[in-house]
Amino acid sequence: MADGVERVTIIGSGPAGWTAAIYAARANLNPVVYEGQPKRVGALNEIPGGQLMFTTEVENYPGFPKGIEGPEMMMQFREQAKRFDVRIVTRDIARVDFSSRPFKLWDSKDELIESHAVIAATGARANWLGLENEQRLAQSGGGVSACAICDGALPAFRDKEVAVVGGGDSAIEEATYLTKYASKVYIIHRRDELRASKVMRQRALENKKIEVVWDSIVVDVVGDTRIEALRLKNVKSGQVRDMPVGGLFMAIGHTPTTQVFKGQLDLDEKGYVKLTDPGRTTTSVEGVFAAGDVADSVYRQAVTAAGMGCKAAIDAERWLATQGIE
Ligand code: NAP
């Protein structure tokens, strides 16, 4: 950055951010990654590295035939980026001004960064109920997860009775997936009607391994080092009971981390960054690219996020070349 202006600034340190960094570095763009800083989000202590920091074993990322722990995987991504001299700043980006170029970004210490291109890879957070024991067991790998597709096939859940909370398409999809491994899957839904689409609803109701527990909310998660039961309250009768389960999966939606981009980038009605060209990573602001879960409410996988990170770096490199910046 000879003129004091970064060529590419990458915000976020999940699979999308690190992959973008590796590609941008190998394209000689000398990228800087703002990886975020440790903070408390609800009852969870969040550390840089994105959602994989809360995942135990990752078994579906190609190249790791024996599986790999989520945090270990993110450490390896980071190490790979460092091998190509990616600069890493352990701070959040607190605000941005994309109204003129070079773009302006301010970090959490209010230091100004000017950058020709920006890759937004800030991810999304799974929504949690916010119960203390839920958070404790999620963080300690005690059988509470917000991603059945990531964690459901682990030996700890095999042939166990498990529960999914939620009533949307994700809850049905995750419950159906879990029936491959679990002996029974309860869907705990707070109303007497599923939000999920008709075809998904039918799929759940016809599956003999799935039982919907209607009108019920989880008021506590019981278990010391591993989940043993859910304390459920029927919202109509007021009755409270303990239901033994060997696993709990939250499917109550995700929230994209786009607060910082409000008013700067076009977001969809759920707050995800809108991509302007299908299959690419371009956003409503020329020179700002988005990759990973921040712009993808559908697939939300580490491998798809990494793929988008690669695309964002290539899109940024090509765009910078059109601006005479190489
Ligand atoms: P969603 O449609 O927003 O559903 C969230 C569910 O969680 C709702 O049933 C909601 O209950 C429940 N919920 C929310 N907060 C809760 C709380 N605090 N306690 C208890 N329950 C709570 O989210 P999603 O299922 O993740 O789907 C997101 C989007 O992706 C949707 O557009 C969906 O169609 C799409 N998707 C599609 C597929 C597919 O087609 N294969 C698969 C997955 C997702 P209420 O119903 O009472 O509000």
Side-chain angles (χ1 to χ4, degrees):
M1 53 160 195
D3 54 357
V5 180
E6 299 287 352
R7 275 175 276 183
V8 186
T9 300
I10 297 164
I11 317 171
S13 55
W18 290 128
T19 307
I22 292 163
Y23 271 78
R26 286 173 53 81
N28 278 335
L29 293 173
N30 187 22
V32 59
V33 173
Y34 279 76
E35 67 172 347
Q37 61 195 45
K39 57 178 115 22
R40 192 130 178 112
V41 179
L44 277 183
N45 287 318
E46 199 174 86
I47 36 178
Q51 294 190 83
L52 281 177
M53 302 309 284
F54 301 104
T55 305
T56 42
E57 188 105 3
V58 180
E59 291 186 315
N60 52 10
Y61 199 99
F64 297 95
K66 296 188 176 127
I68 182 167
E69 300 272 312
E72 164 70 14
M73 186 185 194
M74 282 304 94
M75 205 190 75
Q76 292 202 19
F77 273 48
R78 191 178 190 272
E79 282 305 305
Q80 194 170 348
K82 275 169 72 177
R83 189 180 140 206
F84 299 109
D85 297 326
V86 168
R87 288 166 298 134
I88 301 170
V89 183
T90 309
R91 290 185 192 171
D92 288 336
I93 292 297
R95 65 196 164 97
V96 298
D97 180 357
F98 293 158
S99 62
S100 60
R101 295 208 296 258
F103 302 122
K104 291 189 180 64
L105 304 88
W106 288 266
D107 72 15
S108 35
K109 295 229 162 115
D110 213 29
E111 278 182 24
L112 171 68
I113 305 110
E114 289 189 290
S115 191
H116 292 297
V118 171
I119 295 176
T122 46
R125 291 193 179 95
N127 295 337
W128 297 87
L129 295 172
L131 302 168
E132 203 180 311
N133 287 327
E134 166 208 41
Q135 304 284 288
R136 179 177 57 78
L137 290 167
Q139 229 173 19
S140 63
V144 177
S145 160
C147 181
I149 291 167
C150 319
D151 297 332
L154 295 176
F157 300 115
R158 299 224 170 166
D159 301 318
K160 298 265 166 61
E161 296 203 344
V162 300
V164 174
V165 182
D169 284 332
S170 291
I172 309 297
E173 193 168 69
E174 308 225 336
T176 307
Y177 178 80
L178 287 167
T179 59
K180 290 191 215 168
Y181 309 102
S183 57
K184 177 154 193 167
V185 183
Y186 296 99
I187 294 178
I188 317 291
H189 186 38
R190 62 185 176 183
R191 294 188 292 129
D192 58 5
E193 191 188 359
L194 293 171
R195 173 179 298 278
S197 54
K198 197 174 162 199
V199 56
M200 298 289 272
R201 280 202 307 261
Q202 218 158 351
R203 189 186 290 183
L205 300 174
E206 282 170 4
N207 190 322
K208 289 191 169 49
K209 272 190 163 182
I210 295 179
E211 181 182 329
V212 184
V213 181
W214 302 104
D215 299 313
S216 296
I217 56 171
V218 178
V219 290
D220 203 357
V221 181
V222 183
D224 187 10
T225 54
R226 270 205 80 77
I227 182 171
E228 288 162 17
L230 293 180
R231 189 150 298 152
L232 294 182
K233 181 178 179 184
N234 184 299
V235 291
K236 286 193 175 153
S237 69
Q239 189 203 12
V240 177
R241 68 177 170 114
D242 281 2
M243 187 176 83
V245 288
L248 173 63
F249 297 87
M250 305 310 307
I252 58 171
H254 285 75
T255 305
T257 315
T258 48
Q259 193 64 32
V260 75
F261 304 124
K262 275 192 184 146
Q264 300 286 331
L265 295 178
D266 281 358
L267 307 177
D268 71 13
E269 66 283 355
K270 287 185 183 153
Y272 289 86
V273 175
K274 266 192 195 170
L275 299 179
T276 49
D277 197 355
R280 305 213 32 226
T281 62
T282 44
T283 70
S284 56
V285 175
E286 195 186 318
V288 179
F289 305 88
D293 290 11
V294 74
D296 173 19
S297 62
V298 178
Y299 298 105
R300 298 193 302 243
Q301 300 300 302
V303 69
T304 51
M308 283 178 85
C310 160
K311 290 205 274 185
I314 293 173
D315 284 342
E317 181 194 358
R318 291 184 182 160
W319 178 77
L320 285 167
T322 67
Q323 307 297 304
I325 302 161
E326 309 214 358

